[in-house]
């Protein structure tokens, strides 16, 4: 029988390297306290990891799939997200291109409850075309969410006017379900 949660933490990253030594313990404590988790993907690999983690639990742990705007361009290395392996090599965010088909396949999984983390982040603009890459990927996320009738999980940092403009320009493609 399904137990209703006391709370839902709608934005976790327990698949990140920062939790590599205690992922199961963190999730266990949350579930024991009646807190369900939505584990958020930020790149194709972390989206896959979010789903794999959600599959281990019959209820209470879910996933999103998406490409965080800072990962549309090569960027700084965040050891807490990506681990120490590449820390001395500059940046490890590859400048991933949003692969609509690959994300669509992941998003069809029954444990995936939203599309994202997607949006705009103008805090770290690493190249002259960073803004354009972020906008293109965000519109593709909007289209995927609309197609699959799943909510968007939006990230916005120092880009609110541009984000609202893109949402307005793509109003007809927005999913009809509420977003996060």
């Amino acid at each position: 029988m399904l137990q209703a949660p006391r709370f839902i933490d709608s934005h976790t990253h327990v698949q990140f390297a920062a939790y590599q030594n205690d992922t199961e313990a963190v999730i266990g404590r949350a579930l024991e306290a009646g807190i369900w988790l939505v584990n958020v993907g930020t790149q194709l690999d972390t989206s896959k990891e979010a789903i794999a983690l959600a599959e281990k639990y019959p209820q209470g742990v879910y996933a999103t799939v998406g490409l965080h705007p800072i990962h549309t361009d090569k960027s700084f290395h965040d050891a807490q997200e990506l681990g120490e392996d590449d820390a001395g090599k500059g940046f490890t965010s590859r400048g991933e291109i949003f692969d609509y088909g690959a994300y669509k396949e992941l998003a069809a999984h029954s444990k995936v409850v939203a599309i994202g983390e997607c949006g705009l982040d103008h805090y770290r603009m690493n190249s002259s075309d960073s803004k354009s890459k972020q906008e293109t990927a965000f519109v593709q996320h909007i289209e995927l969410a609309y197609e699959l009738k799943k909510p968007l999980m939006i990230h916005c940092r120092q880009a609110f006017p541009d984000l609202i403009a893109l949402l307005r320009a793509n109003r007809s493609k927005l999913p009809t379900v509420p977003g996060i």
Side-chain angles (χ1 to χ4, degrees):
M1 182 167 129
L2 290 176
Q3 288 279 345
R6 290 180 58 217
F7 297 99
I8 298 175
D9 185 338
S10 65
H11 197 120
T12 68
H13 294 290
V14 292
Q15 83 278 30
F16 281 7
Y19 296 96
Q20 66 188 359
N21 296 324
D22 62 352
T23 303
E24 303 296 332
V26 169
I27 293 171
R29 286 191 304 270
L31 294 177
E32 189 174 304
I35 301 167
W36 287 8
L37 307 173
V38 178
N39 204 29
V40 178
T42 58
Q43 298 180 83
L44 195 58
D45 53 356
T46 61
S47 294
K48 289 176 184 176
E49 291 168 10
I51 293 170
L53 201 51
E55 286 177 327
K56 293 180 179 182
Y57 299 88
Q59 72 174 17
V61 181
Y62 301 92
T64 74
V65 297
L67 179 59
H68 191 288
I70 66 166
H71 292 307
T72 60
D73 209 357
K74 290 185 176 185
S75 64
F76 73 101
H77 177 85
D78 183 348
Q80 294 213 355
E81 178 179 355
L82 305 167
E84 294 292 342
D85 293 344
D86 297 322
K89 301 176 187 172
F91 41 76
T92 54
S93 182
R94 307 173 283 285
E96 185 177 313
I97 295 171
F98 186 78
D99 182 336
Y100 193 96
Y103 280 101
K104 180 179 177 180
E105 186 176 325
L106 290 178
H109 193 284
S110 63
K111 295 288 261 183
V112 173
V113 297
I115 306 301
E117 179 170 5
C118 61
L120 302 176
D121 191 322
H122 293 171
Y123 180 69
R124 290 189 179 93
M125 301 280 266
N126 299 301
S127 69
S128 60
D129 61 347
S130 289
K131 184 176 177 180
S132 161
K133 289 177 182 178
Q134 289 184 19
E135 290 175 351
T136 298
F138 184 44
V139 169
Q140 290 173 315
H141 281 85
I142 291 169
E143 292 169 350
L144 181 60
Y146 179 77
E147 180 181 350
L148 299 179
K149 296 176 180 39
K150 293 197 178 195
L152 285 168
M153 175 167 284
I154 296 176
H155 169 95
C156 184
R157 186 171 185 189
Q158 295 184 351
F160 192 75
D162 289 340
L163 184 114
I164 294 301
L166 276 175
L167 289 171
R168 285 186 176 140
N170 291 279
R171 185 182 323 242
S172 66
K173 300 175 193 171
L174 288 174
T176 56
V177 293
I180 302 169

